[in-house]
Each structure stands twice: as C-alpha cells, then as structure tokens.
Amino acid sequence: MQEYSFGHRHLLGIEGLTPDDINHVLDVADGYVDMNRQAEKKNAELRGRTLINCFFENSTRTRTSFEVAGKRLGADVINMAVQASSMRKGETLIDTAMTLNAMHPDVLVVRHPESGAVQLLSEKVDCAVINAGDGSHEHPTQALLDALTIRRRKHRLGGLTVAICGDVLHSRVARSNIALLTVMGARVRVVAPRTLLPTAIERLGVEVFHDMEAGLKDVDIVMMLRLQIERMHGSFVPSTREYFHFFGLDYDKLKRAKPDALIMHPGPMNRGVEIGSEVADDIDRSLIRHQVEMGVAVRMACLQILTRDISNRPPLQ
Ligand code: NCD
C-alpha cells in the first residue's frame, strides 16, 4: 500500500482524482480508524512537520477534525485566527500566503468563502495545500469521509444509488460528492426545488428530481444538505416550515427508499428544516456520527499521503 504514488501535490478537489487515488486514500484511512479507536492513538508519522489551519470562514467540526488529525500524527498544529488577522487590515490573500509560506509549514489547510481562492493560494506556496471548503466549489475531504462511511457499511461504492437532497446550489459538499460518487461508479440523484439547483446540473452526470417521493425511490443512501441561508441573497424558499413539509427528511418520505437505506448529513444540521430529529438520531439508520469519526481518519490519511513524498515533488515554477 505504501508504494502507491499519489501524484498530486495538493488536495484542492475531487475533480482530477482517479478511482485508484480515491481508493488509496480510503485504504490508508481505514487503518487510522482502527488506530483512533485504541487507547493510545498517536504516532510520529508527521513528527517535526507543521500544519497551519487557515480558516477564512467559520468552522467548528472541520477545523477541529484537522487539528485532531494533525496531532494524532505528531505534527505541530497551529490554528490561525483569521478574524484577528492581517486580512482584516487589508492584506491580500496572496500576501497572507507569502507570509505563511515564509514560516516553512508543511501543510496548509485552507477554508475560504470564495470559490477558487484555495487554488490561487496553493500556487503561491511551497507546501501542500488541502482545500477545507472554498465557496460553493469543493470540499474534498468531506466527500472522502462520506465515501469511507458508505464503503465501510455497504462494502462498495459502485452500483449504489445515492440521493443528494436539498440546497445543492450553494453546496460544495454536493459538488465534491457528485464528482467522487460518479467516478466510483455510483448512480447519483439530486433532489431539490428548482430554485436550489444550479442550471445544467445534469451535465455532472446526475439524475434530477424535484420531489422527494420520486427522488428517494429505491435509493441506498439519502444524503441531506443544510439549507445554506448565509449564502442566499434573496428568497429561495417560501418558509422553513414549508421547506420541511416538501423536502425535509422524515420517516414518511424515507419509506420510499430501500428498507436498509442509510441517512447522512455533513453537519451542521438544521433540525426541523432539512431533517427531522427522529431520523437524524435513528441509531440504526443514521450515519451522521460515523461521518464525524471517519472525518478524522480521512484527514489523517490525506496529511500522511501529501507529506510522504516531499522529496519527489516537482519544484515550484
Ligand atoms: C459543510 C461545509 O462547511 O461546507 N460542513 C462541513 O464541512 N461539515 C456543509 C455545511 O456547512 O452545510
């Protein structure tokens, strides 16, 4: 397994990864799941390495997950407080990148409200960059952790039918998951009101549904998305009550899915808006807590893989 050559300097998106790349990350992550369940859950694979968490947008679980992942591998982890940083004083993203780069970090984990900003930053630094979410573009480690969660329960990804439901328009999680699941041979449906779907979404190789009853019929996985109110300029849904009535997941709508269908949500959840509490907390069918657990293992795998072959990297132009 260690011989696999990942061939990417950064992890900016799922787009561009091959099925072998994805399987490799998931295989490495599987090993870390076991390690994380032991009393002694630390090794020294990243000893002497420095990881800087650089979040230009609020985050609790993703930032914490990367911090735990880095520390479990023995790295020094620094959380940059962007609210208090020079960005506030008018420094550009590029200046911030150059400043951080001068401190010789080995990995920068970056979240930014603008699509494409993480890629831009990655072009200016010498270290590996992991995209922890850029605007409504990509969130690759979320798709990888979702894939690991599904693979461990269903023992495969290819051939499954996955319904991604809700605010697809604003969701980087949806985009990364569509890219990953389709390249791995799963059938992907998106289920959403027209106002919450990007135009020409079918081009991504998904089937489009505008009602939950039809969209959930015989699916293996129901993946719910948060209604991203903070990214909405104007009114996209009449009211959250009405939204729940038509698009919120409850047992009644779930009946259309396969009897062993599983429920996922990247978090944070709006209970009573896109998902009812009783389904979210159903320990037999909801994988939401497993997703968080798999998140740490997947991020450990990404950190390990991206810092492994540092001597083989092409020099910066
Ligand atoms: C997602 C995000 O930030 O893109 N959350 C996460 O990373 N756990 C989804 C969301 O905010 O709804």
Side-chain angles (χ1 to χ4, degrees):
M1 204 203 304
Q2 290 302 321
E3 266 77 68
Y4 185 80
S5 169
F6 189 63
H8 306 275
R9 184 185 174 84
H10 307 295
L11 179 64
L12 300 174
I14 297 297
E15 183 109 36
L17 298 187
T18 63
D20 283 349
D21 290 335
I22 292 165
N23 278 324
H24 178 63
V25 174
L26 302 186
D27 293 344
V28 174
D30 255 328
Y32 289 127
V33 175
D34 298 334
M35 179 176 138
N36 287 335
R37 288 179 179 174
Q38 289 163 18
E40 170 64 58
K41 31 179 109 52
K42 201 164 163 159
N43 69 24
E45 287 177 285
L46 262 74
R47 192 171 54 201
R49 304 292 175 85
T50 304
L51 182 165
I52 304 183
N53 262 329
C54 199
F55 280 63
F56 298 94
E57 195 184 275
N58 284 341
S59 162
T60 313
R61 80 190 62 213
T62 306
R63 192 191 54 69
T64 310
S65 184
F66 271 108
E67 183 174 355
V68 171
K71 287 182 172 167
R72 295 255 164 100
L73 297 174
D76 292 314
V77 181
I78 288 92
N79 292 311
M80 207 181 106
V82 175
Q83 301 301 326
S85 82
S86 303
M87 288 298 278
R88 285 276 156 128
K89 299 179 188 160
E91 190 178 69
T92 66
L93 181 65
I94 305 300
D95 288 335
T96 305
M98 303 303 273
T99 304
L100 293 175
N101 193 45
M103 297 179 196
H104 298 291
D106 299 280
V107 186
L108 287 176
V109 176
V110 187
R111 171 171 286 193
H112 197 282
E114 304 293 333
S115 303
V118 181
Q119 152 116 41
L120 183 69
L121 188 144
S122 75
E123 289 162 8
K124 307 291 172 191
V125 297
D126 302 295
C127 65
V129 174
I130 299 179
N131 181 1
D134 63 324
S136 48
H137 179 223
E138 280 243 31
H139 189 355
T141 58
Q142 180 70 46
L144 288 161
L145 77 88
D146 289 339
L148 183 64
T149 308
I150 298 171
R151 197 178 82 164
R152 288 175 67 97
R153 284 296 282 261
K154 298 281 187 191
H155 309 292
R156 66 200 163 107
L157 295 167
L160 296 176
T161 305
V162 181
I164 303 180
C165 312
D167 188 357
V168 178
L169 179 65
H170 300 100
S171 179
R172 52 200 175 204
V173 174
R175 253 168 218 80
S176 291
N177 262 304
I178 291 169
L180 187 149
L181 291 165
T182 52
V183 82
M184 298 307 282
R187 279 187 296 274
V188 182
R189 301 178 182 176
V190 293
V191 188
R194 285 170 211 281
T195 49
L196 293 178
L197 280 174
T199 46
I201 179 94
E202 326 64 56
R203 282 200 215 137
L204 300 180
V206 298
E207 260 188 287
V208 181
F209 292 84
H210 300 295
D211 87 275
M212 289 287 272
E213 277 69 28
L216 295 193
K217 192 165 180 329
D218 297 331
V219 301
D220 298 284
I221 303 285
V222 183
M223 195 181 276
M224 301 307 298
L225 299 172
R226 183 173 66 89
L227 205 53
Q228 305 215 355
I229 310 280
E230 78 281 10
R231 294 189 203 282
M232 295 182 188
H233 306 290
S235 179
F236 285 75
V237 291
S239 73
T240 51
R241 248 188 84 187
E242 189 168 332
Y243 184 79
F244 184 76
H245 178 72
F246 288 108
F247 290 96
L249 187 66
D250 55 16
Y251 282 119
D252 204 40
K253 298 190 188 83
L254 189 62
K255 269 192 238 144
R256 308 292 169 135
K258 284 194 182 153
D260 61 350
L262 298 167
I263 302 153
M264 302 177 76
H265 191 303
M269 280 185 276
N270 294 311
R271 290 171 180 266
V273 179
E274 70 267 358
I275 190 163
S277 274
E278 62 300 343
V279 285
D281 299 333
D282 183 329
I283 50 164
D284 297 319
R285 312 211 42 195
S286 167
L287 298 178
I288 297 170
R289 274 181 294 169
H290 296 269
Q291 289 172 270
V292 178
E293 181 187 4
M294 295 308 121
V296 175
V298 153
R299 287 165 182 135
M300 289 168 80
C302 294
L303 292 172
Q304 197 265 356
I305 291 166
L306 289 175
T307 54
R308 197 172 51 205
D309 309 320
I310 209 150
S311 52
N312 301 334
R313 292 239 180 87
L316 271 186
Q317 302 294 310

